[in-house]
Amino acid sequence: MKLVRFGEAGDERPGLVDREGKIRDISDAVADIAGDVLSPEGLARLAALDPSDLPLAPEGARLGAPVAGVGKMLCIGLNYADHARETGKEPPAEPVVFGKATTAICGPYDNVEIPRGSDRTDWEVELGVVIGTRAKYVDEADALSHVAGYVLVNDVSERRFQSERGGQWIKGKSHDTFAPIGPWLATADEIPDPQEMDLWLDVDGERRQTGNTRTMIFGVAHVVSYLSQFMTLEPGDIIATGTPPGVGLGMKPPTFLREGQVVRLGAEGLGEQQQTMVQA
């Protein structure tokens, strides 16, 4: 299934995408796409619905992030060797973990704000993992059984805030709108192999990033298992798994986003996003 949330920001309704690509309203079946709805049992109930019996969403409705009530947004840094090297760092021996404030989450077509005082706002196309069942001290062999599905993420970053303002990366990762997610949540059965997915990103129509998840240093199962050794992962938590090479920081000279520019990105099986840059 492809699950979405549609409507004005803060007032989204749950939906699913039917075989014709139309959005069907499932709010009579579930209150939102969150919590127990993401469990195998919850997803099975949604899969049993007949889309033709469900009302259509309004034509042209805004899409919000496809998961509600996200408790944690965790990110893996430098998870593609070529990306690590383009930023001047060596590939890590263990996953580099940082957080992104949940207030950064927005819809896949919402505007992205360039923060006040920013001159290094950057793009990062990523595969996102949505947890479906509680995961604590899980083995790598069992890790994917805790995954409800996958989403497309733009891990927008302010590089000066991230690296030159002291402390943790979270400061450069958490401005409002720095986590566009969607357009849909593809349930795990829709993605045969999360380690075989093409990713791409364009700025103003020019290709900047092209990659495949097969080149991750630490795969999805390893990342889920690894994180579960340090904290309990709850349904609705999202993990952004890292970006392939081609970010603005790695260009020669480094090139960053400006007001009015348009970023478009996509991933195999996860659809496409588009954002216009605006000043905060």
Side-chain angles (χ1 to χ4, degrees):
M1 285 182 296
K2 295 181 176 68
L3 301 175
V4 300
R5 298 173 64 249
F6 64 93
E8 295 304 310
D11 193 30
E12 294 94 344
R13 298 165 70 91
L16 61 79
V17 181
D18 67 18
R19 292 184 178 180
E20 297 178 349
K22 297 178 180 178
I23 297 174
R24 300 283 179 163
D25 188 333
I26 58 173
S27 56
D28 284 344
V30 292
D32 215 334
I33 300 170
D36 291 344
V37 172
L38 296 166
S39 69
E41 297 77 17
L43 294 176
R45 288 193 294 272
L46 295 183
L49 297 173
D50 183 350
S52 64
D53 292 338
L54 302 171
L56 288 166
E59 190 74 25
R62 169 190 172 272
L63 291 178
V67 181
V70 177
K72 295 188 289 294
M73 187 165 183
L74 303 169
C75 306
I76 307 300
L78 309 175
N79 200 22
Y80 291 73
D82 289 347
H83 169 60
R85 293 191 181 98
E86 75 175 348
T87 64
K89 298 179 174 64
E90 287 300 312
E94 290 191 41
V96 174
V97 181
F98 62 92
K100 208 169 176 82
T102 57
T103 48
I105 293 172
C106 65
Y109 293 96
D110 291 347
N111 291 337
V112 164
E113 295 182 356
I114 297 176
R116 297 176 185 178
S118 166
D119 60 3
R120 296 188 183 181
T121 297
D122 206 347
W123 56 85
E124 295 190 21
V125 60
E126 305 199 7
L127 168 66
V129 179
V130 179
I131 298 299
T133 56
R134 191 172 186 267
K136 181 177 182 178
Y137 294 120
V138 300
D139 294 331
E140 189 168 335
D142 298 325
L144 294 186
S145 69
H146 293 273
V147 174
Y150 302 92
V151 291
L152 178 64
V153 176
N154 188 357
D155 176 21
V156 186
S157 309
E158 212 299 332
R159 301 302 188 184
R160 191 183 300 280
F161 297 176
Q162 177 183 352
S163 301
E164 299 180 18
R165 297 291 298 273
Q168 302 296 314
W169 286 11
I170 192 170
K171 290 194 293 187
K173 298 284 189 171
S174 294
H175 192 273
D176 292 355
T177 73
F178 267 27
I181 299 175
W184 57 68
L185 162 65
T187 51
D189 58 294
E190 293 269 338
I191 306 298
D193 183 358
Q195 302 308 146
E196 192 60 55
M197 300 177 68
D198 290 327
L199 306 169
W200 58 269
L201 181 144
D202 296 343
V203 178
D204 287 344
E206 294 185 8
R207 184 58 45 94
R208 297 292 173 86
Q209 288 186 276
T210 303
N212 188 286
T213 55
R214 79 171 76 92
T215 64
M216 283 182 181
I217 300 170
F218 307 106
V220 171
H222 181 87
V223 165
V224 172
S225 173
Y226 183 86
L227 290 172
S228 79
Q229 311 307 308
F230 300 98
M231 66 196 81
T232 299
L233 302 176
E234 297 284 0
D237 287 350
I238 295 175
I239 306 165
T241 57
T243 196
V247 299
L249 180 63
M251 296 180 69
K252 299 186 186 303
T255 303
F256 300 105
L257 293 165
R258 304 183 307 276
E259 183 178 8
Q261 288 192 297
V262 175
V263 175
R264 192 168 185 86
L265 58 149
E268 187 176 357
L270 300 181
E272 298 183 4
Q273 300 182 0
Q274 180 171 300
Q275 297 100 34
T276 299
M277 302 299 115
V278 299
Q279 285 293 333

